[in-house]
Structure formats: C-alpha cells, structure tokens
Amino acid sequence: MTTILEARSLSVHYQTPVGAVKALDHASFSLGEGEILGMVGHSGSGKTTAACVIGGFLEKNGRVENGEVLFRGENILFLPWRRRRRILGKGIFLIMQNSASALNPTRRVIAHVADACSSGEAIMGRKAVSKACALLERVGIGKDKQTLFPFQLSGGTKQRVLIAMALALRPAVLIADEPTAGLDAINQATVLDLFGTLKEESVASVILITHDLRVLTAIADRIAVMYRGALVETSNTADIISKPVHRHTQELVNAMKTIHGS
C-alpha cells in the first residue's frame, strides 16, 4: 500500500500560564492510499492536536517542537503559507469536532457547499448550486434545511454539511475529529456509511478520530491508540480487538466489551 501521509516523531507543546504542556510526544503514524485509519484514546491523549497540526489549525499557543508531516513525500509543516494553503482543503481536509467554528454563520448551508463545488469541480452558478443540493441530500440533509444558516442546525447536521463539502472538494486525505459524537444511532450509522463510501469510491484516505473504540471496529482498516500524547500501539483492527498489547489498549477493549457485550 502506498503511503500518502506520514507523521514522523511529532512533538507539540502548548504554552500556558504555568508553563509548557506536552500534548504530543514523538508520535509517528502513517496513512495509506484508500485506507481508513482510526485514532482512539481518552480526552487529552493528543488525538485532536495531531489532527490540528496536520490540518493547519494548531492553536496560537501551540508549537511543533519536533518532527515532520509528509504529504506525498513533502514536509508540509514549514512550507510558505500560500503553498501550504493550496495543499490544505483540496489535498487535506479537516472536519473539526466543533463544526460550528468551521462554518460562516452569515452564509446559508447551500452556499457553503456550492463554494466547495466551485473550487473542487470548477463549476459555477446554477451548476454549483445543483451539485451542492445533490451532495447535501446524499448526506441526509433535505431541501427544507439547505437554505438555513449554521446556527439553525444541530451539531450532527453541521458535521454532515462539512462532509458534503469534503465530497465536493474530493481531498486526497480527509481527517474527521469525533464526527459521530453526540449523534443518535441512526445518524451515527449514516455518517459512518458516508466514510465507507468515500473509501469504496477511492475518493479519499481517511483518519477517523474518536474516543469510542466500537465506532472504529465497524469501519477502520487499522487502529492507532493514543495515550498521554504518545502513540502506544498501531495494528490492524482485528488484532487490536483480539490481541491488544499495550495496557491502555487492553483497557479500552475490555471497557468496550463490558459496555456493549461484544
């Protein structure tokens, strides 16, 4: 499998009033072409920080202390902003956990996706709007909601707007941070099916970040386990569930089996 994205020995610190806090500690992982990589760990384990570094949304008080992020062999961390901006969005698309912050509150849902269609497929006007309408319906957002503003939508619906934008842009790498958090079982299944479709259509390689190991068992090819800023175990999904090695991985698997009985 060809590697499309690779993080090498990535370390990130946040500056706080009480000193530096280590969020990532020499974390290394890779993503193959057409692969879904699940990243799991407790809150504060470094999952979201890893996503933000790759996607270009690291907080101002965050600093990369060490490491590289290679996209198609090119280290993107310290590129000139214009060059990096061309890569981010169409090359790498990040769906943040706080989906509201990624959408302009003054623009309607259909406008967000139409803009993505214009950028991703070089279509304009009515053609872009028509394509946007079709993509929104594909992710389960009907015409009655397509002309609403983001603040009028639930968190789960805003997540699906961002997925529709990703479908329009057709990025090589899609990173989704807790895309199923707070969703009921039906909407959660819908979102997971969409990621499966992206893989089947070879549209994007996906990094799916969650604290819920059970979500990953249904869709991920491999799982990377984060613990206290370090990546402590990576393996194919079946091996993670059947023979976890690291103590924290064992705890996650046992907790999943206790709660869900499987």
Side-chain angles (χ1 to χ4, degrees), residues 85-105:
R85 188 174 181 179
R86 284 197 294 269
I87 292 174
L88 300 177
K90 295 185 71 173
I92 301 172
F93 189 89
L94 172 60
I95 299 177
M96 299 288 290
Q97 183 175 358
N98 180 12
S99 52
S101 64
L103 299 172
N104 185 334

Side-chain angles (χ1 to χ4, degrees), residues 113 116 132 135-136 139 141 159-169:
V113 184
L135 288 173
L136 286 166
V139 300
I141 300 176
Q159 286 277 11
R160 282 181 280 165
V161 171
L162 291 173
I163 294 172
M165 292 171 65
L167 288 169
L169 288 167

Side-chain angles (χ1 to χ4, degrees), residues 146-192:
Q146 293 178 8
T147 56
L148 298 180
F149 293 95
F151 67 86
Q152 296 175 295
L153 305 175
S154 67
T157 303
K158 286 194 280 279
Q159 286 277 11
R160 282 181 280 165
V161 171
L162 291 173
I163 294 172
M165 292 171 65
L167 288 169
L169 288 167
R170 301 177 69 86
V173 173
L174 175 61
I175 305 172
D177 189 6
E178 297 283 5
T180 60
L183 300 184
D184 59 35
I186 294 175
N187 283 322
Q188 186 178 97
T190 299
V191 169
L192 292 178

